[in-house]
């Protein structure tokens, strides 16, 4: 086991505010295109990438991300194959932190320590497990710390009474859920989010990034006024989904990638 004095996440993160953190599904549309899209996200201004592992029973994912997961599962994607994509992303030129997003059941099936070893070996910088209960977090966090892998914490509006406890354990960045329910684009954000973010930021020693429902440039600008970063998932999947046919055809792939880059840059410009 190779222990780390400081995390690769911290070393690769180049700034601490106005962070753009897109979510992408490994294997969608194809494993090879996942590598190309990761590089395109970095070119579009991404500061961190959340790399999703498809799962057949996701608790937090809305229909858009569920569709992407179904397509990825049809490609044979799993937690091992998702991790194996990352060294090729690094070879392509992706230098920003990569966070593996997966659920607790696949982690348990894979083996917690084995996962930490493989995250480190495949140059993956952090881990996000949205359905791990706070009370069971210690089962992962101790090993994650030993391997220098930040375990990203989530805090939601209904956890206001436990903000200090959650924030105290945070590493990497803090994922602040903007509203209850599953992921998906929303036309209006939770009006109580500003007060909730103020409470979280008072206690947080790591950047606070907001996710769930962010899909317009106006929403991005609004979030940047009150938080350190924005996490965009369903909108990213939709942008990629709309160009899926062009992406899978070699003669139209580069044009589609450039179109995706332009759309994302327009979405996240501060």
């Amino acid at each position: 086991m190779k222990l780390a004095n400081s995390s690769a996440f911290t070393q690769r993160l180049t700034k601490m505010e106005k962070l753009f953190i897109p979510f992408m599904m490994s294997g969608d549309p194809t494993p090879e295109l996942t590598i190309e899209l990761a590089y395109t996200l970095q070119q579009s201004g991404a500061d961190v990438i959340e790399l999703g592992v498809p799962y057949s029973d996701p608790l937090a994912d809305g229909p858009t991300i569920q569709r992407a997961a179904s397509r990825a599962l049809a490609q044979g994607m799993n937690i091992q194959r998702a991790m194996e994509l990352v060294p090729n992303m690094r070879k392509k030129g992706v230098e920003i932190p990569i966070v593996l997003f997966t659920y607790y059941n696949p982690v348990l099936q894979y083996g917690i320590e084995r996962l930490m070893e493989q995250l480190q070996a495949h140059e993956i910088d952090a881990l996000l497990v949205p359905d791990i209960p706070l009370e069971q977090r210690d089962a992962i966090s101790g090993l994650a710390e030993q391997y220098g892998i930040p375990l990203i914490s989530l805090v939601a509006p209904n956890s206001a009474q436990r903000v200090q406890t959650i924030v105290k354990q945070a590493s990497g960045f803090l994922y602040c859920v903007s509203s209850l329910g599953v992921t998906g684009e929303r036309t209006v954000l939770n009006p109580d989010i500003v007060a909730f973010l103020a409470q979280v930021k008072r206690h947080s020693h790591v950047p606070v990034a907001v996710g769930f429902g962010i899909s317009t440039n106006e929403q991005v600008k609004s979030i940047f006024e009150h938080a350190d970063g924005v996490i965009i998932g369903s909108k990213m999947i939709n942008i990629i989904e709309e160009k899926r046919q062009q992406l899978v055809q070699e003669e139209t792939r580069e044009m589609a990638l450039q179109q995706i880059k332009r759309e994302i840059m327009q979405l996240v410009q501060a």
Side-chain angles (χ1 to χ4, degrees):
M1 177 177 69
K2 180 183 178 184
L3 300 181
N5 294 322
S6 63
S7 72
F9 182 94
T10 302
Q11 294 168 15
R12 287 194 170 109
L13 191 65
T14 59
K15 61 182 184 179
M16 300 291 282
E17 59 183 17
K18 291 191 176 180
L19 300 173
F20 166 40
I21 307 175
F23 171 91
M24 64 185 306
M25 182 63 70
S26 57
D28 180 44
T30 68
E32 295 74 23
L33 282 169
T34 304
I35 297 165
E36 293 288 340
L37 287 164
Y39 185 66
T40 298
L41 288 173
Q42 179 177 267
Q43 288 184 310
S44 305
D47 299 291
V48 180
I49 290 175
E50 277 187 21
L51 182 65
V53 176
Y55 183 46
S56 58
D57 189 26
L59 297 177
D61 295 333
T64 299
I65 294 179
Q66 286 184 29
R67 286 197 307 271
S70 295
R71 292 191 295 264
L73 288 169
Q75 294 279 338
M77 189 55 56
N78 56 34
I79 195 167
Q80 180 64 41
R81 291 178 177 176
M83 290 190 289
E84 289 172 354
L85 293 174
V86 178
N88 289 315
M89 293 178 185
R90 299 300 187 197
K91 290 178 183 176
K92 178 74 178 176
V94 177
E95 299 175 343
I96 59 178
I98 295 176
V99 179
L100 192 75
F101 180 111
T102 187
Y103 284 89
Y104 196 33
N105 190 47
V107 170
L108 290 177
Q109 291 184 1
Y110 192 85
I112 297 173
E113 183 156 14
R114 178 187 173 208
L115 177 63
M116 297 305 163
E117 292 172 348
Q118 292 301 302
L119 290 172
Q120 191 181 70
H122 289 87
E123 300 181 81
I124 299 169
D125 306 296
L127 177 66
L128 201 166
V129 185
D131 62 337
I132 184 171
L134 181 63
E135 293 74 17
Q136 297 179 26
R137 181 185 168 89
D138 289 349
I140 295 182
S141 61
L143 278 169
E145 186 175 354
Q146 289 180 43
Y147 281 88
I149 304 290
L151 180 60
I152 307 300
S153 297
L154 285 88
V155 59
N158 66 340
S159 55
Q161 300 303 317
R162 301 200 293 178
V163 164
Q164 285 182 264
T165 302
I166 295 170
V167 169
K168 185 178 179 180
Q169 298 178 353
S171 59
F173 66 90
L174 189 61
Y175 191 135
C176 191
V177 177
S178 68
S179 58
L180 303 181
V182 298
T183 59
E185 295 183 41
R186 290 169 172 80
T187 55
V188 179
L189 295 178
N190 181 357
D192 299 326
I193 189 65
V194 173
F196 180 57
L197 285 172
Q199 179 189 6
V200 173
K201 281 185 66 66
R202 275 198 303 271
H203 301 290
S204 183
H205 59 278
V206 296
V208 174
V210 181
F212 276 52
I214 298 163
S215 59
T216 69
N217 180 249
E218 290 75 17
Q219 291 170 344
V220 169
K221 288 179 177 178
S222 176
I223 292 297
F224 279 154
E225 290 177 6
H226 305 285
D228 306 305
V230 61
I231 301 163
I232 305 179
S234 295
K235 181 66 175 181
M236 290 294 106
I237 299 296
N238 280 331
I239 290 172
I240 293 168
E241 194 174 48
E242 289 170 2
K243 304 290 189 298
R244 186 169 180 270
Q245 292 304 317
Q246 296 100 307
L247 285 168
V248 297
Q249 298 177 34
E250 189 171 350
E251 62 271 20
T252 55
R253 182 174 304 153
E254 186 56 37
M255 180 180 66
L257 289 169
Q258 291 304 314
Q259 289 173 342
I260 288 170
K261 179 180 175 181
R262 284 196 295 273
E263 285 189 46
I264 294 173
M265 291 178 73
Q266 290 172 359
L267 173 65
V268 300
Q269 61 183 351

